[in-house]
């Protein structure tokens, strides 16, 4: 399954025409799984015209997500061309937010890498793994320790994911490591600001809730205190935003997948 939620230019192209004193800014290619296969090298501006669909991963009112393949390898595409006319503006806004966030996490391991965003299609690298609810990390303390370090690295980049309550946005990769996908609601900012620290704390609380579900005996006293102390942001969301969200998604858009979690195995 894909991490919906890489894109790296050729090292030859990156180094061409640069002086010896200029520092290299070429992103480093990383593997997608424990199988040892090197990630294909993509040019961000390559239109992938020879790509074909391998399988559909998700389709909703804000676009179609599909696993694609071209001469360079597999990648994931969010296609907005079939979005209803009245939803195109919010769908494009969400996809643009995801593209901005993926640029910020460029080069990070266990994160999808942006390949291309042309206003209608967003292409990003494929991560070999399964959603948390499909491959539950029961009793796997190492997974949650790595997930916390991954989250800290994300926050240091100035990115708050803002949607980690959904198990579908946490991956268990092929080698057992955690991965994070779906950055449509991500917020970017100064990681030292009060606002970003608050959002980072909410991301952490959501991770600890998953740890409490799958690894309850390893929750520490400090983590229990974090879980008990809710923020004003969380309280405001449940009092105002959550009812509106449910009205839109359940009544208008007819979503029935438990906020993207999907059926439990």
């Amino acid at each position: 399954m894909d991490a919906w939620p890489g894109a790296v230019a050729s090292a030859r192209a990156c180094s061409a025409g640069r002086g010896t004193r200029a520092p290299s800014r070429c992103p480093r290619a990383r593997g997608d799984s424990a199988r040892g296969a090197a990630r294909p090298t993509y040019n961000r501006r390559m239109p992938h015209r020879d790509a074909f669909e391998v399988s559909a991963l998700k389709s909703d009112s804000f676009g179609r997500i599909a696993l694609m393949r071209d001469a360079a390898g597999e990648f994931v595409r969010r296609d907005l061309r079939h979005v209803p006319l009245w939803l195109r503006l919010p769908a494009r806004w969400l996809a643009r937010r995801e593209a901005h966030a993926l640029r910020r996490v460029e080069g990070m391991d266990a994160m999808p890498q942006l390949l291309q965003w042309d206003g209608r299609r967003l292409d990003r690298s494929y991560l070999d793994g399964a959603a948390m609810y499909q491959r539950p990390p029961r009793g796997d303390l190492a997974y949650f320790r790595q997930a916390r370090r991954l989250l800290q690295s994300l926050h240091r980049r100035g990115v708050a994911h803002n949607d980690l309550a959904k198990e579908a946005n946490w991956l268990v990769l092929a080698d057992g490591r955690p991965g994070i996908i779906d950055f449509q609601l991500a917020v970017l900012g100064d990681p030292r600001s009060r606002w970003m620290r608050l959002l980072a704390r909410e991301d952490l609380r959501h991770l600890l809730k998953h740890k409490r579900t799958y690894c309850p005996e390893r929750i520490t006293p400090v983590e229990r205190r974090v879980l008990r102390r809710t923020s004003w942001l969380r309280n405001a969301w449940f009092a105002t935003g959550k009812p509106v969200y449910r009205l839109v998604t359940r009544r208008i858009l007819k979503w029935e997948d438990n906020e993207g979690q999907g059926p439990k195995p």
Side-chain angles (χ1 to χ4, degrees):
M1 178 180 174
D2 162 57
W4 324 344
V8 291
S10 162
R12 184 179 304 168
C14 285
S15 59
R18 296 192 176 185
T20 57
R21 297 180 61 186
S24 172
R25 297 179 62 86
C26 300
R28 182 179 301 172
R30 299 175 185 266
D32 271 343
S33 73
R35 289 183 287 193
R39 173 186 298 169
T41 298
Y42 289 100
N43 185 325
R44 286 185 183 177
R45 298 183 179 179
M46 185 170 63
H48 302 296
R49 290 174 182 167
D50 59 337
F52 63 91
E53 182 176 318
V54 177
S55 62
L57 301 176
K58 179 182 177 182
S59 182
D60 59 28
S61 304
F62 294 114
R64 175 181 171 83
I65 313 296
L67 177 62
M68 310 291 293
R69 180 179 293 135
D70 65 4
E74 292 180 336
F75 63 98
V76 176
R77 169 170 293 169
R78 174 182 293 276
D79 196 335
L80 308 183
R81 291 177 297 175
H82 305 295
V83 173
L85 183 63
W86 66 283
L87 284 175
R88 286 183 185 175
L89 186 61
R92 181 166 178 165
W93 178 74
L94 290 170
R96 186 169 62 245
R97 285 174 68 95
E98 181 165 23
H100 289 328
L102 293 181
R103 291 189 186 104
R104 187 71 70 92
V105 303
E106 181 179 356
M108 285 188 65
D109 199 17
M111 300 277 182
Q113 302 292 294
L114 180 65
L115 305 180
Q116 174 182 263
W117 163 240
D118 62 7
R120 296 184 303 168
R121 294 178 299 187
L122 188 150
D123 294 345
R124 55 191 182 275
S125 63
Y126 170 75
L127 297 179
D128 184 14
M132 180 184 283
Y133 70 87
Q134 295 176 318
R135 186 182 169 188
R138 300 187 189 279
D140 190 349
L141 181 60
Y143 175 90
F144 289 101
R145 285 176 173 171
Q146 293 172 2
R148 184 161 185 168
R149 289 195 292 268
L150 181 63
L151 201 54
Q152 290 170 340
S153 299
L154 179 67
H155 294 154
R156 283 195 292 269
R157 292 282 185 111
V159 181
H161 188 281
N162 220 27
D163 201 20
L164 291 178
K166 298 178 183 178
E167 293 188 17
N169 291 342
W170 285 100
L171 292 185
V172 181
L173 300 179
D175 58 3
R177 294 178 300 123
I180 298 176
I181 58 171
D182 194 354
F183 287 79
Q184 291 186 95
L185 299 180
V187 176
L188 310 183
D190 182 351
R192 296 167 296 181
S193 68
R194 287 187 177 183
W195 177 243
M196 291 300 292
R197 291 203 306 268
L198 176 61
L199 294 178
R201 186 175 180 274
E202 290 302 304
D203 279 351
L204 174 61
R205 287 187 72 254
H206 291 313
L207 172 61
L208 293 179
K209 287 180 181 179
H210 298 314
K211 182 181 179 181
R212 185 175 59 189
T213 298
Y214 294 115
C215 207
E217 68 282 358
R218 305 309 294 267
I219 289 284
T220 67
V222 172
E223 291 171 340
R224 292 186 190 281
R225 287 198 296 270
V226 171
L227 286 168
R228 284 197 300 264
R229 294 177 58 185
T230 59
S231 68
W232 66 265
L233 180 63
R234 182 260 186 196
N235 295 334
W237 165 250
F238 273 87
T240 59
K242 190 75 170 181
V244 175
Y245 174 85
R246 285 176 172 167
L247 173 65
V248 172
T249 57
R250 307 290 173 84
R251 298 293 182 86
I252 300 177
L253 300 180
K254 306 299 183 182
W255 291 358
E256 297 180 355
D257 63 348
N258 195 18
E259 299 180 312
Q261 181 172 307
K264 295 256 185 174

